Every structure is written in C-alpha cells, then in structure tokens.
Amino acid sequence: MHNALGAVQSLLVLGGASDIGAAIAARLAADGCHSIVLAGRRAEAMEPVAARLRDAGAEVALTHWDATDIGSHGDAVKAAWDAVPGGGDVDCVVLAAGVLGDQARIEAEPAAAAELITTNFTGPTTTLLHVAQRMREQGHGTIIVLSSVAGERVRRSNFVYGSSKAGLDALAQGLGDSLVDAGVRVLVVRPGFVHTSMTAGREAAPLATTAEAVAEATAAALAGSRDVVWVPGTLRWLMASFRHLPRPVWRKVAAGR
Ligand SMILES: NC(=O)c1ccc[n+]([C@@H]2O[C@H](COP(=O)([O-])OP(=O)(O)OC[C@H]3O[C@@H](n4cnc5c(N)ncnc54)[C@H](OP(=O)(O)O)[C@@H]3O)[C@@H](O)[C@H]2O)c1
C-alpha cells in the first residue's frame, strides 16, 4: 500500500534492465519504495540494477518476463506479484520495455516489423491487461506506461517504431479510462530523445534529455493527478503544433529540412 504520504511502497518494473525503468525505480526507492520486482528476459542484465537498488535500501526480486511470449503473460504477472519482497500488493507497475528497431532492415525484411510490434505493443497490451485484472482485484495502484513523442506524430525515419508507440499510447489511455472506477490510475509518460542504451551512438535530437530527468518528471507527476507527462515539458506545446502541420510541411520538419 502507499504510505501515509501517498508514496509508492512496492514497485514492479516490466523491462527491469531498462535505463529509464531503472532510473524511475531508483527515484522511487529514494522516496521510500522498499519492495521492488524487476521483470525481464535477461537476469544478468537486471542484476546490476538490482544491486544499485539494494544499495539504496530496497529489497529486490527478479522474475522472468518476455514481452514476445504472449501465452506466458498471465503466469508472469502472477509470478511478479508473488515475488514482491515482504508480500502484499503492487502499488505501481512501470512498463519500460521496448526496442527501437532498425527501420532500414524492417523495410528490407518486413517480417522484422512483427517482432518490434510484438515487443512494443502486442506484448505490453496482453501483459497490461493481466496487470489491470490484478489491480482491479486489489482496488488500487498506478500503471506507468513509457510511450514516446515518436507516437504523437510518426516520422518517416522510424515510422514502424512510431506506430507501435502510437498504439501503445492509445492502449494506455483507454486502459486508464477503463480503470478509473476501480481506483487504478494509468500515467502515460511521453519522453523525447533520451540518452540511454536504446539511443547510444545516435545523433541526439533537439531537447534531448536523460533517464534521470524522465524519472524526476515521472515522480513529480505521480505526486499530482495528471494522466500524461511530457519530458521535457516543452515538448507538449511543440508537439501540439507539430500534430497539426500539413503532411508535406511535417515531412520537411521531421527530416530537419
Ligand atoms: N531512449 C529514448 O530516447 C526513449 C524515448 C522515448 C521513449 N522511450 C521508451 O522508454 C522505454 C525504455 O527505454 P530505454 O531508453 O530505457 O531503453 P533501454 O535501456 O534499451 O531498455 C529497453 C529494455 O527493454 C527490454 N526488452 C526488449 N525486448 C524485450 C522483450 N522481448 N521482453 C522483455 N524486455 C524486453 C530490454 O531488455 P534486454 O536487456 O533483455 O535487452 C531493455 O532492458 C522504451 O519503451 C522506449 O521505447 C525511450
């Protein structure tokens, strides 16, 4: 349960080795979250994250979750709930898994699009529906979904990734509406370019930010009542105007011309 100040006490990170997921977990651990489950496909990648969280005073468990293994998601969500150190409910779930993919390869080999879409959209959808059932049963909780500006207006350079994020963002909004009366909140986080493993080696976009800044903005949003947070916040206004640009103009803007 949330403590007397309303802070998260137990957390599940889906995509437990994600740089942004790890930064959010560290930020919430600093606020007193003491029971954390990291769920992902590679325990060896999550171990260093777990070690840092333990150093910060949290108890941490690792469980297996692969976004592409659709049939396993019910059991994986149950296993994550059962693994909460000290037992009890999960106050907050962060969906932080995702792949950027290689747009050129996807266009050359269309079958590659399926894995990206399964990882970023189909798998998160089935997993979050299981999470929603659990949160309905416990009668409280927050689900944080890592969306992206890439889904707000899709760009030619990564339109398959952008489409998967547009789908995930829409899913998260609808899920939030479906859970309002159950006392469960869905918070959609829409970062721009973030310096993480996902973007390593790529030229930074304007307004590039850090995983720690995303975590800070997420923690601030958790303490309030908004259901969407942009990081950095200026992107909200920028994307509001980009969203309505005629397509020929958008093509030039998105290509930096
Ligand atoms: N970085 C950015 O610029 C940016 C901007 C906007 C939104 N986002 C979104 O933020 C989220 C976190 O990204 P990040 O920057 O923290 O990237 P990251 O450090 O590369 O983390 C992505 C995580 O997704 C996990 N993952 C990939 N495929 C998976 C699968 N099939 N099953 C389970 N986990 C899987 C990876 O696990 P492995 O360790 O097993 O590979 C990795 O831990 C993503 O949803 C991303 O789309 C990122």
Side-chain angles (χ1 to χ4, degrees):
M1 294 293 284
H2 294 67
N3 68 14
L5 299 172
V8 167
Q9 302 216 315
S10 55
L11 174 72
L12 163 62
V13 183
L14 295 162
S18 140
D19 290 340
I20 295 176
I24 292 173
R27 179 64 182 73
L28 296 183
D31 267 357
C33 176
H34 52 69
S35 295
I36 300 176
V37 179
L38 302 178
R41 57 181 177 172
R42 293 188 306 126
E44 69 275 19
M46 296 190 286
E47 270 303 348
V49 178
R52 288 196 297 276
L53 293 169
R54 288 183 187 118
D55 286 347
E59 281 190 78
V60 185
L62 304 186
T63 61
H64 185 76
W65 171 70
D66 184 335
T68 63
D69 189 0
I70 304 293
S72 72
H73 290 165
D75 289 344
V77 168
K78 179 179 186 316
W81 244 257
D82 290 347
V84 173
D89 297 344
V90 176
D91 292 338
C92 181
V93 172
V94 181
L95 176 77
V99 285
L100 193 51
D102 177 342
Q103 177 73 26
R105 182 179 156 237
I106 286 169
E107 288 182 35
E109 301 166 35
E115 188 174 351
L116 183 150
I117 292 164
T118 305
T119 305
N120 291 355
F121 181 45
T122 314
T125 298
T126 54
T127 304
L128 291 182
L129 288 168
H130 284 292
V131 165
Q133 287 177 357
R134 289 260 156 187
M135 286 200 162
R136 255 195 207 100
E137 283 163 22
Q138 66 183 34
H140 71 97
T142 301
I143 302 171
I144 298 172
V145 177
L146 264 302
S147 176
S148 171
V149 290
E152 178 70 4
R153 182 111 204 220
V154 170
R155 288 185 296 153
R156 189 269 169 267
S157 60
N158 65 0
F159 66 80
V160 178
Y161 171 79
S163 305
S164 71
K165 286 300 189 183
L168 179 66
D169 196 295
L171 178 278
Q173 292 179 58
L175 189 66
D177 292 343
S178 79
L179 290 168
V180 160
D181 295 335
V184 179
R185 174 183 176 201
V186 177
L187 174 62
V188 178
V189 180
R190 294 186 188 142
F193 185 106
V194 188
H195 292 283
T196 66
S197 310
M198 180 176 276
T199 53
R202 291 173 187 260
E203 190 183 341
L207 301 176
T209 187
T210 62
E212 289 69 31
V214 177
E216 196 57 45
T218 304
L222 264 180
S225 58
R226 279 185 295 160
D227 46 22
V228 177
V229 58
W230 298 80
V231 194
T234 26
L235 280 174
R236 177 181 177 188
W237 309 111
L238 200 59
M239 293 310 292
S241 59
F242 283 172
R243 191 154 191 45
H244 299 290
L245 289 177
R247 289 262 296 284
V249 179
W250 171 241
R251 279 197 283 273
K252 289 185 179 157
V253 171
R257 282 184 267 138

